[in-house]
């Protein structure tokens, strides 16, 4: 029997990769097992030489792995573009986040603000710095532990206003998604896949990534709150 392909990804792409892996398995007859963990942990494990065939992470993280020789040069494929959305607990009052000014006011009024350890969290803190409100938020920013969805903290009432990739908020119970980041405050991340240097099935891994980047995968990406990579 042909060995299963083994992959690792950040949590942001867990849902869509699971759906695409099942679709490719039906097409090819080859099983795919993709483990989703915190992005920093995923990159560390690939860099440490753990045996994976494919890795899917934010494009800058894939670039660092390629520079270090941990993925095959030239195997990187951009897969999805993912935007940050804003959520509150489903029992909370809906607030206006339709403009940058309205969002800024909402952030300043929130008792606690949740954000992720991934690239979107870094970008959010940078946005608060550009707005000049980082000092005002000291003691109110709550960073979710690696691998823990910000939306779960929102659902439990541990943070009042949460920011994370729409794809990670869509399937959670107990929250209301207020909308995407407004014009002028957008936070978008491109997630890419690459063939790991330790792969013993590089050709099959390339075929999997080619399918995930093809038009046949577009509907699943949009269904999971993402867009095909530009």
């Amino acid at each position: 029997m042909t060995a299963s392909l083994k992959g690792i990804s950040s949590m942001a792409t867990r849902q869509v990769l699971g759906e695409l892996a099942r679709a490719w398995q039906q097409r090819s007859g080859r099983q795919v097992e993709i483990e989703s963990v915190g992005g920093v942990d995923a990159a560390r494990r690939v860099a440490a030489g753990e045996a994976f065939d494919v890795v899917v992470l934010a494009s800058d993280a894939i670039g660092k792995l390629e520079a270090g020789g941990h993925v095959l040069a030239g195997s990187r494929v951009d897969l999805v573009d993912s935007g940050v959305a804003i959520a509150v607990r489903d029992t909370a009052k809906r607030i206006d986040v339709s403009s940058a000014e309205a969002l800024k006011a909402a952030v300043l009024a929130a008792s606690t603000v949740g954000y992720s350890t991934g690239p979107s969290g870094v970008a959010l803190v940078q946005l608060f710095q550009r707005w000049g409100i980082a000092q005002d938020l000291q003691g109110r920013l709550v960073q979710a532990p690696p691998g823990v969805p910000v939306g779960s903290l929102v659902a439990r009432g541990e943070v009042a206003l949460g920011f994370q990739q729409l794809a990670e908020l869509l399937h959670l119970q107990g929250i209301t998604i207020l909308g995407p980041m407004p014009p002028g405050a957008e936070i978008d991340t491109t997630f890419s896949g690459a063939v790991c240097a330790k792969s013993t099935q590089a050709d099959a891994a390339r075929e999997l990534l080619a399918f995930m980047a093809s038009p046949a995968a577009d509907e699943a990406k949009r269904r999971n709150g993402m867009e095909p990579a530009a």
Side-chain angles (χ1 to χ4, degrees), residues 60-146:
D60 60 341
I62 292 293
K64 291 176 183 177
L65 289 174
E66 185 172 9
H70 306 298
V71 301
L72 297 183
S75 68
R76 168 179 158 172
V77 179
D78 292 340
L79 299 177
V80 293
D81 291 329
S82 179
V84 167
I86 310 149
V88 294
R89 200 174 189 182
D90 58 3
T91 56
K93 179 182 177 182
R94 292 184 67 93
I95 53 179
D96 180 19
V97 294
S98 60
S99 69
E101 281 304 311
L103 177 58
K104 181 178 176 181
V107 169
L108 287 171
S111 58
T112 46
V113 177
Y115 68 108
S116 77
T117 57
S120 65
V122 174
L124 186 72
V125 172
Q126 291 172 343
L127 175 65
F128 294 159
Q129 291 169 344
R130 291 198 303 274
W131 280 351
I133 63 174
Q135 287 293 112
D136 298 307
L137 297 175
Q138 282 195 352
R140 288 193 279 154
L141 292 178
V142 179
Q143 188 175 47

